[in-house]
Amino acid sequence: MLPRLLLAILLLALPATANRPPAAGAQSSNTLVIDTTAEAESLDPALVAQASGFSVINSIFDNLVERDYSGALVPMLAESWSFPDANTIEFKLRQGVTFHNGEPFNAASVKFSIERLLDPNLNSPLRGGWPQTWQGLEVVDDYTVRFHFSAPEATIFDTLAQSAAMVPPVYYSSNSEDVLAANPVGAGPFKFVESVRDDHSTLTANPTYWGVDTYKGAAQVQTVIFRPVPAASTRVSDLLNGTADMIFDVAPDDIDTLRGRAGDGFQVVTGNSAKLQFVQFMPKKATDPLADRRVRQALNMAVDVQSIIDNLFKGLGRREASPIMEGVLGYDPTLAPYEYNPTFAKQLLADAGYPNGFSATMDLANSDDPAAANAVVGQLSQVGVNVQSRTFDVGTFNTNWSQDKSGDMRMARWGGLQDPAVFLNFTTVCGGFLADQFACDQDATNLAKQAASTFDQDVRAGLYSQVAHLLHDDPMGIYMSNVLSVYGVGPRVQGWRGPTGRDYLIPTNITLQ
């Protein structure tokens, strides 16, 4: 147990309320302003599950391993790893790293961070992506930890990159969740300054960042302000009038507007986020229409996805045939998407016992453009499926999903991982994150488990390709398109490029002119 004096000193790391800099405009010297699409659900890294929040969190926190700008897995707070036996992974940790409040990073930090993430009482939405083979963590010495599994586990690296931010144990064990949700302390390239709910979160460059030689590098701007701006039209107006330097999710209708201002220094930057735009099926019991494979196939045939891509997404996207997408391990380019065929869709519905269709609900997040959802709802009505859409703020939308309280369907964008294991555990794997078993596929589950048990990437790719075929024939949702992250970039921003394999940004490599 730490002495009281040391504990008191560490607790002083709570960000002070006095002398906070104001939320400056985009033209302030050395201050970068970024309009995101939504307020982060929390500033506790274990409670964040969407891109706007990830951008803030990954600027403040570091993980053991991460994916760099090319999408490759790279060491971060874990310097290296080895395999003492088939079911054990040993990580050697970086020495000399301190958190923003002065606590040292060491094996105790790793043990606390992961056990906290997996604590059911915290109810982290990221816990569901953790491998089911997990047995526990062993501290070998101050800078060595071992992960133990019940079987060889190749998916852990993606899991660590996606959902295991390291936190300082004393600070996070000594404060309430209300305090932690509003006052984050990490070891990353930016330090937290302040956050005003639904207005802005301000970060400042960490002058002693340990990772200057990593892909993140040292921050080139002193201050970054993330502002939640749900309306796409407002975001593009902010960019054009200079009150924002960068914006998330440029609406398709605004792309030509920004491209027309290229002479003034405005850019549209796209990145392949390796995400799938889809309507996830969420049946609650075996008698639900969506629990029937024929119904799920019919709904895929009832939606003219290519028309939505061409007309609503302005061609920014490519039809997908399964959740195993291009750029993801196991992608099979020979697998064809569903053909738009409302006549056959009606026949399949009749064969399943629904000649007159049925009614269902579909949940949407208020940060997403509703146009695609409206198009899906309209086209499903043409085959007798009457869908009532329900819109929620992002936090409620994700909470409903993580607690299995969503409607019959949900409009979702999910992925960001080159290894599909975590995505499958959230959506398809029996006994995975979903509490019910009416949306799972046992054959796909068995193949996914085989893929997780070998580190041979060619073998894993072949197994995931089989999963792709299974989930094409028995779809877990209406497969629409891959998601291209579309950012608007103002004339002051230099040096930034769209990342591969994710749809959040870490603004360390940006300079302002």
Side-chain angles (χ1 to χ4, degrees):
M1 186 168 180
L2 287 174
R4 289 184 179 180
L5 178 59
L6 177 56
L7 179 60
I9 291 171
L10 290 169
L11 289 177
L12 288 176
L14 275 170
T17 56
N19 301 318
R20 288 173 170 169
Q27 298 308 316
S28 298
S29 176
N30 215 15
T31 296
L32 172 72
V33 178
I34 302 171
D35 279 5
T36 66
T37 59
E39 180 69 72
E41 305 99 310
S42 170
L43 294 180
D44 184 332
L47 300 178
V48 174
Q50 46 89 10
S52 294
F54 282 145
S55 295
V56 180
I57 293 302
N58 285 277
S59 298
I60 298 172
F61 295 89
D62 290 326
N63 295 17
L64 294 180
V65 299
E66 298 183 20
R67 285 198 178 274
D68 66 14
Y69 286 106
S70 72
L73 282 166
V74 295
M76 287 294 285
L77 289 172
E79 198 168 48
S80 64
W81 48 85
S82 59
F83 304 89
D85 59 60
N87 298 350
T88 304
I89 305 176
E90 181 175 283
F91 291 93
K92 293 292 185 181
L93 308 179
R94 294 191 188 273
Q95 301 186 29
V97 177
T98 58
F99 290 99
H100 300 154
N101 67 344
E103 285 187 57
F105 167 75
N106 52 31
S109 311
V110 178
K111 179 177 173 62
F112 176 84
S113 299
I114 291 177
E115 290 181 351
R116 178 177 185 269
L117 174 72
L118 298 180
D119 184 349
N121 293 322
L122 184 63
N123 199 26
S124 168
L126 304 175
R127 182 168 57 96
W130 207 260
Q132 297 177 43
T133 55
W134 175 253
Q135 299 256 290
L137 183 151
E138 172 193 359
V139 172
V140 177
D141 58 42
D142 282 350
Y143 294 101
T144 308
V145 295
R146 286 183 175 178
F147 287 8
H148 295 289
F149 304 91
S150 61
E153 185 54 70
T155 71
I156 186 63
F157 296 98
D158 264 301
T159 303
L160 290 172
Q162 179 78 359
S163 59
M166 296 293 105
V167 300
V170 174
Y171 176 75
Y172 275 79
S173 62
S174 304
N175 287 286
S176 69
E177 182 52 44
D178 287 344
V179 170
L180 299 174
N183 299 280
V185 173
F190 287 95
K191 300 169 70 173
F192 176 74
V193 177
E194 70 164 359
S195 183
V196 176
R197 193 72 187 170
D198 297 320
D199 188 79
H200 70 277
S201 294
T202 302
L203 313 182
T204 189
N206 178 7
T208 59
Y209 182 48
W210 68 271
V212 295
D213 294 325
T214 68
Y215 84 98
K216 283 184 176 177
Q220 303 300 303
V221 293
Q222 182 61 38
T223 303
V224 178
I225 300 174
F226 291 95
R227 306 189 307 186
V229 182
S233 59
T234 304
R235 292 196 298 274
V236 77
S237 294
D238 286 349
L239 186 67
L240 292 173
N241 66 30
T243 56
D245 290 301
M246 299 180 66
I247 62 174
F248 276 41
D249 279 10
V250 177
D253 288 341
D254 293 325
I255 290 174
D256 289 341
T257 299
L258 290 182
R259 286 175 173 165
R261 296 286 300 275
D264 298 323
F266 293 94
Q267 303 175 63
V268 175
V269 179
T270 60
N272 181 4
S273 62
K275 280 200 170 191
L276 176 69
Q277 177 87 51
F278 67 109
V279 178
Q280 185 176 358
F281 300 143
M282 307 283 287
K284 302 297 187 292
K285 53 185 183 296
T287 55
D288 284 356
L290 291 171
D292 191 303
R293 173 196 297 240
R294 294 165 295 183
V295 172
R296 296 195 292 266
Q297 292 175 335
L299 268 56
N300 273 273
M301 295 180 184
V303 177
D304 188 354
V305 173
Q306 192 60 53
S307 176
I308 292 174
I309 294 171
D310 292 342
N311 297 308
L312 297 182
F313 299 166
K314 302 295 183 182
L316 291 175
R318 180 185 56 258
R319 292 241 21 219
E320 295 295 340
S322 86
I324 313 297
M325 306 160 48
E326 184 175 356
V328 169
L329 190 67
Y331 171 68
D332 184 349
T334 68
L335 193 58
Y338 278 89
E339 177 186 359
Y340 175 53
N341 191 334
T343 300
F344 191 44
K346 290 180 180 179
Q347 183 60 55
L348 280 173
L349 289 172
D351 292 345
Y354 304 100
N356 299 315
F358 59 91
S359 296
T361 57
M362 181 167 69
D363 293 356
L364 317 173
N366 66 348
S367 60
D368 290 333
D369 186 343
N374 293 338
V376 170
V377 169
Q379 291 177 8
L380 291 180
S381 71
Q382 299 302 306
V383 298
V385 178
N386 298 308
V387 178
Q388 176 188 359
S389 61
R390 312 185 306 177
T391 301
F392 300 92
D393 66 85
V394 172
T396 303
F397 178 80
N398 283 330
T399 298
N400 286 347
W401 165 71
S402 67
Q403 298 180 2
D404 200 22
K405 296 178 181 177
S406 296
D408 302 305
M409 296 180 275
R410 63 191 289 267
M411 178 65 77
R413 290 188 294 179
W414 188 265
L417 304 171
Q418 279 68 19
D419 188 317
V422 178
F423 172 83
L424 294 174
N425 198 42
F426 275 112
T427 57
T428 304
V429 169
C430 299
F433 188 63
L434 291 176
D436 65 76
Q437 298 303 303
F438 306 110
C440 79
D441 186 295
Q442 190 60 58
D443 291 335
T445 299
N446 295 338
L447 289 167
K449 288 182 177 179
Q450 290 181 53
S453 68
T454 176
F455 290 90
D456 187 316
Q457 292 297 85
D458 290 336
V459 172
R460 301 183 76 223
L463 291 166
Y464 283 134
S465 177
Q466 294 179 57
V467 172
H469 284 261
L470 284 173
L471 296 183
H472 171 273
D473 296 342
D474 189 6
M476 42 73 68
I478 300 173
Y479 304 136
M480 299 183 70
S481 70
N482 66 323
V483 177
L484 293 180
S485 300
V486 185
Y487 303 91
V489 181
R492 297 203 311 152
V493 172
Q494 303 292 313
W496 185 75
R497 59 191 174 91
T500 297
R502 64 172 185 239
D503 60 354
Y504 60 87
L505 64 89
I506 304 166
T508 48
N509 57 359
I510 293 173
T511 59
L512 296 174
Q513 66 174 13

